[in-house]
Amino acid sequence: MEIEVVAAHTPEKIIREAIDPAVGFQGYNGRNIAFALGLPAMEAAVVTPFIQMLGNLYRLFMDKNAAMVEINPLVITSDKKLIALDGKVSFDDNALFRHADVQQMRDLHEEDPLEIEAGENNLNYIKLDGNIGCMVNGAGLAMATMDVIKLAGSEPANFLDVGGGATKETVAAGFRILLKDPNVKGIFINIFGGIVRCDRIAHGVIEAAKEVKINVPLVVRLQGTNADEGRKLLAESDLKLEVANDLWEAAQKIVKLTSKAA
């Protein structure tokens, strides 16, 4: 891994020091950064606590499975003292089960209620500022879906990954979360049937849509195993929705329908 430092007096200069995870942080790592920043000119009163601070940050990062540990800004006072004026720490959600002390610090009042509800349903959801709700299986496909919505002239309202095995329960939970966002004027379901067949996904979408009242335009695009069967089930259902074969076609449809509904 690497420790990255940006010096305030030279904002264009980024200083990186590689740390061997098998060895851990060593004093010379801190000294290398200190020398690169010109701290030795400020004497041991600054250099020694600076190196200790870097070592503590590294240990915090590793011991608590952090995703990021940042101090910004770090200042040196006129009497040669280091002060962290502000900082930020984020943790790997997948490792939180190891750290009960970290979980106890979680403040749900500081989080988006829809993201909390999504987590309770094992869905990966991030709220955005657009007006087209996206329900996709797979993070890569979700990113591509958001890109193609922007390319078609609109904006995604969220990132929502229902996982590889989209079921009636996960789709229904996804619908409820999307429809609670007042900015959502249309929903685009983009599913690739790999782990689960498209006909089973279609049944899940149909059952979930009957359970959850959907009052905005809905476009569904299925590809993968048994995609033809899945599209036929959707087309023959009594639901008010549009079925698409191609990703670009689907994006254009939902943008057009959403524009009309606005």
Side-chain angles (χ1 to χ4, degrees):
M1 64 168 293
E2 291 183 336
I3 289 180
E4 184 174 290
V5 178
V6 179
H9 60 284
T10 55
E12 75 286 352
K13 183 179 181 182
I14 297 177
I15 300 164
R16 294 186 176 92
E17 178 68 16
I19 309 295
D20 185 346
V23 177
F25 181 86
Q26 301 295 309
Y28 72 85
N29 298 126
R31 285 191 292 274
N32 287 344
I33 295 176
F35 273 90
L37 291 173
L39 295 187
M42 300 179 184
E43 306 170 352
V46 172
V47 175
T48 300
F50 177 76
I51 295 173
Q52 292 173 342
M53 178 202 69
L54 289 181
N56 290 335
L57 290 178
Y58 176 83
R59 283 184 286 276
L60 170 64
F61 183 88
M62 299 299 290
D63 293 347
K64 297 299 183 181
N65 296 112
M68 180 187 69
V69 177
E70 174 184 327
I71 292 178
N72 183 18
L74 175 70
V75 302
I76 302 172
T77 65
S78 58
D79 56 349
K80 301 295 192 299
K81 290 183 179 179
L82 286 177
I83 299 179
L85 291 187
D86 199 1
K88 181 178 181 180
V89 181
S90 61
F91 300 95
D92 182 353
D93 293 344
N94 296 312
L96 281 178
F97 70 93
R98 300 175 183 156
H99 307 290
D101 56 334
V102 174
Q103 293 187 61
Q104 289 174 0
M105 292 187 288
R106 184 180 182 186
D107 185 357
L108 296 179
H109 296 292
E110 295 294 325
E111 300 182 29
D112 187 290
L114 295 181
E115 294 183 10
I116 296 172
E117 183 178 347
E120 293 172 348
N121 287 279
N122 296 316
L123 302 175
N124 295 310
Y125 173 86
I126 299 174
K127 189 178 183 308
L128 301 174
D129 297 328
N131 63 346
I132 295 181
C134 305
M135 189 186 305
V136 189
N137 66 332
L141 185 58
M143 297 297 289
T145 301
M146 293 190 294
D147 286 344
V148 78
I149 287 174
K150 291 177 70 71
L151 188 63
S154 193
E155 294 288 334
N158 63 273
F159 171 102
L160 176 58
D161 177 8
V162 297
T167 64
K168 170 198 167 186
E169 289 72 25
T170 57
V171 173
F175 277 141
R176 285 192 291 269
I177 291 168
L178 295 181
L179 293 171
K180 286 180 181 178
D181 182 352
N183 294 328
V184 169
K185 306 304 180 185
I187 296 176
F188 179 15
I189 297 180
N190 186 17
I191 301 289
F192 177 77
I195 297 175
V196 60
R197 301 192 314 266
C198 287
D199 55 324
R200 294 189 62 184
I201 295 171
H203 280 299
V205 170
I206 292 169
E207 293 302 314
K210 290 179 179 177
E211 180 181 316
V212 180
K213 184 179 179 181
I214 301 174
N215 53 7
V216 297
L218 172 63
V219 172
V220 183
R221 182 243 182 183
L222 297 178
Q223 279 294 348
T225 307
N226 290 358
D228 290 338
E229 291 89 333
R231 287 192 289 265
K232 183 179 179 182
L233 286 168
L234 291 171
E236 294 177 352
S237 70
D238 295 330
L239 299 176
K240 188 177 180 181
L241 55 80
E242 294 276 347
V243 181
N245 298 339
D246 178 76
L247 179 57
W248 178 237
E249 172 199 357
Q252 289 179 305
K253 279 187 175 183
I254 189 60
V255 170
K256 183 177 181 180
L257 290 171
T258 304
S259 299
K260 288 181 179 179

